[in-house]
Amino acid sequence: MFLKSIGNFRALAIILIVLGHFYGYGFADEGVFSSVVKNIITGGTALFVFISGFMFHYVFFKRFEYKKFMVNKVKNVVIPYFLLSTIAITGLLLTSAGAFSGLEQNELLMTIVKCYLTGGTLTAYWYIPFVFLVFVTSPLHMKFVKTDLNKQLLIIFALSIISTFIHRPINNINPVHSLVYYTPIYLIGILVSIYSSKVKEYLDNKLLYLALLVVFISYLEYLSGHQGNYSKPFFEYSGIDLQYIQKLFLIFFFYIFFEKFHFESKMIDTISNTSFAIFFIHPWVLLFMNKAARVYGISIEGNNIIYYLVVVICTLFFSVSTALLLKKAFNFHSKKTRYIIGY
């Protein structure tokens, strides 16, 4: 059965991800208000991971077949990633840009391999090598589902403690590091799906408290001199990742919010349905905008919120339109476009 609440949640998650990648276009101020808001927006990937965990249990658990599950993920996730990454790598090679700037000939092959394995070619593409590892470890998630609640909570608590100390990997280009960091959030998604009625009953009247906690922790991040995601090498100590804790409260806030308040919107439905295509396409928009900004010397200091929102809205519109036009070109019912843009 289709869950309208999760559909709306997915739309919000991809919008936050896009918002978080365009701060340089009108939302660059580092004052208290801007910092708190950006701390809340940044790290939208956590919401996506939670939704993935939720849907793993809700959709796949009762009919899970590992081979079939993995073949499906390779077709719909890995193939479009490989195709689009190949285009990006080719462009970087031809222009000697990015990771291929100033490379020796004997470093070329290894750099190409690293780009594919880490997603280091384009903004956000790091997510695919990481999430593929999540899919690979799905038999462990099946065992988690069948474990009793006390052990499930203990596992999530222990892994969350680890996540708050290891932080995210530098530049997000270590898939194994990301797997360790995000696994407890994925498991929380699974657990919420299992005990959805109890979670909703317990948190039904606590939306305000959850919102206040999100804002308070974001403000603590600002006071500590930090803005955005926490990143560091795996074994280096650098304090507690407040962003991880804040995102847990944000996840529960939006989950309960969308469960309590159902609304119909064709635009939101379209964004939700094309969310993976938006994920694949919007980094290209950012790439070309950054290139144009350098060529034409465009520089925006401080905040210009109207400009920022226009840029984000146009990016979403272009990404969605590209997905729909491509789908129409191949016939709306064709699955071939999934091999290109994941939709």
Side-chain angles (χ1 to χ4, degrees), residues 17 19 22 37 43 96 114 125 146 179 184 187 192 203 212 241 246 251 292:
I17 287 171
L19 281 167
F22 285 85
V37 171
S96 298
K114 284 182 179 179
Y125 274 34
K146 299 172 184 177
L179 177 68
L187 297 182
V192 170
L203 294 176
L212 290 174
D241 185 341
Q246 179 243 109
I251 285 168

Side-chain angles (χ1 to χ4, degrees), residues 21 24 39 52 63 73 105 109 138 143 183 202 220 242:
H21 290 152
N39 283 336
S52 296
R63 54 184 177 85
K73 295 304 180 184
Q105 190 66 33
L109 179 61
S138 55
K143 290 184 178 181
T183 288
Y202 179 73
L220 286 181
L242 292 175

Side-chain angles (χ1 to χ4, degrees), residues 41-93:
I41 292 173
T42 305
T45 302
L47 280 65
F48 236 74
V49 173
F50 167 83
I51 294 169
S52 296
F54 186 100
M55 296 307 289
F56 174 79
H57 172 263
Y58 187 80
V59 175
F60 296 105
F61 172 66
K62 291 183 179 179
R63 54 184 177 85
F64 182 76
E65 295 178 32
Y66 186 61
K67 182 178 179 180
K68 185 177 180 180
F69 178 79
M70 290 303 299
V71 168
N72 182 57
K73 295 304 180 184
V74 168
K75 287 180 178 179
N76 298 334
V77 178
V78 176
I79 290 178
Y81 165 76
F82 182 81
L83 172 64
L84 294 170
S85 293
T86 299
I87 295 172
I89 289 170
T90 302
L92 292 173
L93 267 171

Side-chain angles (χ1 to χ4, degrees), residues 45-46 49-50 52-54 126-127 130-138 140-141 144 152 155-164 166-168 175-191 244 248 251:
T45 302
V49 173
F50 167 83
S52 296
F54 186 100
W126 64 268
Y127 181 81
F130 145 68
V131 83
F132 184 71
L133 292 182
V134 174
F135 300 147
V136 169
T137 55
S138 55
L140 296 177
H141 306 145
F144 175 83
Q152 289 171 330
I155 290 169
I156 288 173
F157 178 76
L159 292 178
S160 290
I161 293 297
I162 292 172
S163 295
T164 59
I166 66 168
H167 303 184
R168 285 169 49 149
V176 176
H177 189 155
S178 294
L179 177 68
V180 177
Y181 182 83
Y182 280 112
T183 288
I185 295 178
Y186 190 83
L187 297 182
I188 289 171
I190 292 175
L191 199 64
Y244 177 89
L248 292 184
I251 285 168

Side-chain angles (χ1 to χ4, degrees), residues 81-82 85-86 88-89 92-93 98-100 103-104 106-122 125-130 133 170-176:
Y81 165 76
F82 182 81
S85 293
T86 299
I89 289 170
L92 292 173
L93 267 171
F100 299 94
L103 275 186
E104 299 290 338
N106 61 345
E107 299 175 308
L108 188 60
L109 179 61
M110 184 57 66
T111 301
I112 293 173
V113 172
K114 284 182 179 179
C115 284
Y116 281 119
L117 292 180
T118 65
T121 50
L122 288 170
Y125 274 34
W126 64 268
Y127 181 81
I128 304 303
F130 145 68
L133 292 182
I170 294 175
N171 297 323
N172 298 310
I173 56 172
N174 186 331
V176 176

